[in-house]
Amino acid sequence: MGSIGSKLQEVKRRIAAACAMAGRVANIRTQAADFGAADGVTLLAVSKTFGDAAVREAHAAGQRAFGENHVQEALAKIAALSDLRPGIEWHLIGPLQSNKTKAVAEAFDWVHSVDRLKIAERLAEQRPAWLPPLQLCLQVNISAEASKSGVQPRDAAALAHAVAALPPERVRLRGLMAIPEPAADFDAQRLPHRQLRELLAALQREGLALDTLSMGMSADLEAAIAEGATIVRVGTALFGGRPAQAAA
Ligand SMILES: *Cc1c(COP(=O)(O)O)cnc(C)c1O
């Protein structure tokens, strides 16, 4: 199977090859960049369902940004790995309910899954003043599946303007995130990623300073990079398969 360190190298090779194919600078980051510095691709290691030891191993191999999608599971992991701060970066990529916003505002660096204003408002109120602003992405339901979370594309602009107007010292809107339906071939994979890129471009034309496209996973990171992904969220290709019931 290979160690996490060798899988990290393999995923970085895939990212570099995809950047070369797309004519993009192969600047692979292990931490998300500050605003305006996001010219490359950040590799977000999705450690959900994997324990502290797996995160430590990836961290020892140089990885710094980790994605989690269950708040409860993540909080335990973040606490257990507090000795890796500062430097380690925690990204929430899963659903966020109102009653969990305070804990998230206190523990995370990024939230990719904002899909309604109330959640962003609570995060802004509850982000401790001594921490840097929480970095936010709006999750867009780009494949328009009724069953999935995310704001509908037609409602994204209104939500983006409202979130961007929240206090910038507490929350900073950085861009968009999507989890497209799985597709087998490259062109089919590119389509939803292109739609997300076009949506970001439309928001930029409306005057919003955004620089982040969080899209692409183990199976489709090449297609996402071809369409401009700045953060790819990779789990399986780094840590191996997850138990089916915990895979969502
Ligand atoms: C689990 C998950 C990923 C990683 O998926 P892999 O196919 O294992 O790479 C990425 N994004 C989100 C939102 C996830 O929940």
mmCIF file of all heavy atoms in Angstrom, residues 46 48 69 93 177 179 217-218 233-236 242, ligand 1:
data_model
loop_
_atom_site.group_PDB
_atom_site.id
_atom_site.type_symbol
_atom_site.label_atom_id
_atom_site.label_comp_id
_atom_site.label_asym_id
_atom_site.label_seq_id
_atom_site.Cartn_x
_atom_site.Cartn_y
_atom_site.Cartn_z
ATOM 1 N N VAL A 46 -7.712 15.146 3.459
ATOM 2 C CA VAL A 46 -8.986 14.881 4.129
ATOM 3 C C VAL A 46 -8.819 13.666 5.044
ATOM 4 O O VAL A 46 -8.765 12.519 4.605
ATOM 5 C CB VAL A 46 -10.113 14.659 3.100
ATOM 6 C CG1 VAL A 46 -11.416 14.311 3.802
ATOM 7 C CG2 VAL A 46 -10.288 15.913 2.236
ATOM 8 N N LYS A 48 -10.793 12.720 7.605
ATOM 9 C CA LYS A 48 -12.007 12.196 8.257
ATOM 10 C C LYS A 48 -11.968 10.674 8.352
ATOM 11 O O LYS A 48 -11.521 10.023 7.397
ATOM 12 C CB LYS A 48 -13.248 12.629 7.484
ATOM 13 C CG LYS A 48 -13.350 12.010 6.108
ATOM 14 C CD LYS A 48 -14.537 12.547 5.323
ATOM 15 C CE LYS A 48 -14.598 11.849 3.980
ATOM 16 N NZ LYS A 48 -15.512 12.519 3.049
ATOM 17 N N ASN A 69 -14.959 16.328 8.047
ATOM 18 C CA ASN A 69 -16.346 16.679 7.746
ATOM 19 C C ASN A 69 -17.349 16.377 8.846
ATOM 20 O O ASN A 69 -18.511 16.740 8.699
ATOM 21 C CB ASN A 69 -16.789 16.139 6.386
ATOM 22 C CG ASN A 69 -17.179 14.706 6.432
ATOM 23 O OD1 ASN A 69 -16.658 13.969 7.256
ATOM 24 N ND2 ASN A 69 -18.091 14.308 5.568
ATOM 25 N N ILE A 93 -15.104 20.718 6.080
ATOM 26 C CA ILE A 93 -15.628 20.567 4.724
ATOM 27 C C ILE A 93 -16.992 19.893 4.732
ATOM 28 O O ILE A 93 -17.548 19.624 3.673
ATOM 29 C CB ILE A 93 -14.638 19.764 3.829
ATOM 30 C CG1 ILE A 93 -14.368 18.386 4.418
ATOM 31 C CG2 ILE A 93 -13.343 20.545 3.646
ATOM 32 C CD1 ILE A 93 -13.506 17.492 3.518
ATOM 33 N N MET A 177 -16.989 26.390 -3.011
ATOM 34 C CA MET A 177 -16.668 24.967 -2.887
ATOM 35 C C MET A 177 -17.805 24.154 -3.486
ATOM 36 O O MET A 177 -18.958 24.570 -3.426
ATOM 37 C CB MET A 177 -16.494 24.618 -1.398
ATOM 38 C CG MET A 177 -16.226 23.154 -1.099
ATOM 39 S SD MET A 177 -17.709 22.140 -0.908
ATOM 40 C CE MET A 177 -17.325 21.336 0.641
ATOM 41 N N ILE A 179 -19.090 19.819 -4.385
ATOM 42 C CA ILE A 179 -18.891 18.357 -4.424
ATOM 43 C C ILE A 179 -19.748 17.844 -5.575
ATOM 44 O O ILE A 179 -20.886 17.448 -5.382
ATOM 45 C CB ILE A 179 -19.352 17.684 -3.114
ATOM 46 C CG1 ILE A 179 -18.822 18.418 -1.886
ATOM 47 C CG2 ILE A 179 -18.939 16.214 -3.102
ATOM 48 C CD1 ILE A 179 -19.421 17.909 -0.561
ATOM 49 N N MET A 217 -11.413 15.990 -5.870
ATOM 50 C CA MET A 217 -11.152 14.995 -4.844
ATOM 51 C C MET A 217 -10.257 13.905 -5.457
ATOM 52 O O MET A 217 -9.699 14.098 -6.538
ATOM 53 C CB MET A 217 -12.477 14.432 -4.311
ATOM 54 C CG MET A 217 -13.547 15.524 -4.138
ATOM 55 S SD MET A 217 -14.898 15.150 -2.999
ATOM 56 C CE MET A 217 -15.594 13.676 -3.683
ATOM 57 N N SER A 218 -10.120 12.779 -4.769
ATOM 58 C CA SER A 218 -9.192 11.751 -5.261
ATOM 59 C C SER A 218 -9.462 11.367 -6.714
ATOM 60 O O SER A 218 -8.527 11.180 -7.497
ATOM 61 C CB SER A 218 -9.275 10.491 -4.388
ATOM 62 O OG SER A 218 -8.819 10.755 -3.085
ATOM 63 N N ARG A 233 -9.295 18.631 -2.367
ATOM 64 C CA ARG A 233 -9.551 17.947 -1.100
ATOM 65 C C ARG A 233 -9.396 16.442 -1.312
ATOM 66 O O ARG A 233 -10.236 15.812 -1.941
ATOM 67 C CB ARG A 233 -10.964 18.284 -0.609
ATOM 68 C CG ARG A 233 -11.301 19.793 -0.606
ATOM 69 C CD ARG A 233 -12.745 20.016 -0.154
ATOM 70 N NE ARG A 233 -13.676 19.207 -0.902
ATOM 71 C CZ ARG A 233 -14.361 19.637 -1.963
ATOM 72 N NH1 ARG A 233 -14.252 20.875 -2.386
ATOM 73 N NH2 ARG A 233 -15.183 18.812 -2.591
ATOM 74 N N VAL A 234 -8.320 15.886 -0.804
ATOM 75 C CA VAL A 234 -7.972 14.505 -1.150
ATOM 76 C C VAL A 234 -7.917 13.626 0.095
ATOM 77 O O VAL A 234 -7.132 13.886 1.014
ATOM 78 C CB VAL A 234 -6.620 14.470 -1.891
ATOM 79 C CG1 VAL A 234 -6.239 13.036 -2.232
ATOM 80 C CG2 VAL A 234 -6.680 15.323 -3.150
ATOM 81 N N GLY A 235 -8.762 12.601 0.116
ATOM 82 C CA GLY A 235 -8.785 11.667 1.232
ATOM 83 C C GLY A 235 -8.240 10.308 0.851
ATOM 84 O O GLY A 235 -7.121 9.917 1.206
ATOM 85 N N THR A 236 -9.036 9.563 0.090
ATOM 86 C CA THR A 236 -8.722 8.175 -0.241
ATOM 87 C C THR A 236 -7.321 7.987 -0.818
ATOM 88 O O THR A 236 -6.616 7.045 -0.441
ATOM 89 C CB THR A 236 -9.772 7.652 -1.242
ATOM 90 O OG1 THR A 236 -11.081 7.930 -0.713
ATOM 91 C CG2 THR A 236 -9.623 6.160 -1.468
ATOM 92 N N ARG A 242 -12.202 4.309 3.164
ATOM 93 C CA ARG A 242 -12.908 4.499 4.438
ATOM 94 C C ARG A 242 -14.012 3.475 4.545
ATOM 95 O O ARG A 242 -14.556 3.032 3.535
ATOM 96 C CB ARG A 242 -13.540 5.898 4.494
ATOM 97 C CG ARG A 242 -12.547 7.030 4.545
ATOM 98 C CD ARG A 242 -13.261 8.365 4.528
ATOM 99 N NE ARG A 242 -13.967 8.620 3.300
ATOM 100 C CZ ARG A 242 -13.441 9.245 2.239
ATOM 101 N NH1 ARG A 242 -12.204 9.666 2.259
ATOM 102 N NH2 ARG A 242 -14.173 9.433 1.155
HETATM 103 C C1 LIG B 1 -14.532 12.892 1.978
HETATM 104 C C2 LIG B 1 -14.499 14.171 1.262
HETATM 105 C C3 LIG B 1 -13.473 14.446 0.346
HETATM 106 C C4 LIG B 1 -12.374 13.470 -0.026
HETATM 107 O O1 LIG B 1 -12.868 12.497 -0.874
HETATM 108 P P1 LIG B 1 -11.875 11.358 -1.496
HETATM 109 O O2 LIG B 1 -12.661 10.827 -2.617
HETATM 110 O O3 LIG B 1 -11.655 10.371 -0.406
HETATM 111 O O4 LIG B 1 -10.653 12.018 -1.900
HETATM 112 C C5 LIG B 1 -13.468 15.700 -0.251
HETATM 113 N N1 LIG B 1 -14.419 16.609 0.019
HETATM 114 C C6 LIG B 1 -15.409 16.379 0.896
HETATM 115 C C7 LIG B 1 -16.409 17.436 1.160
HETATM 116 C C8 LIG B 1 -15.479 15.152 1.547
HETATM 117 O O5 LIG B 1 -16.486 14.925 2.405
#
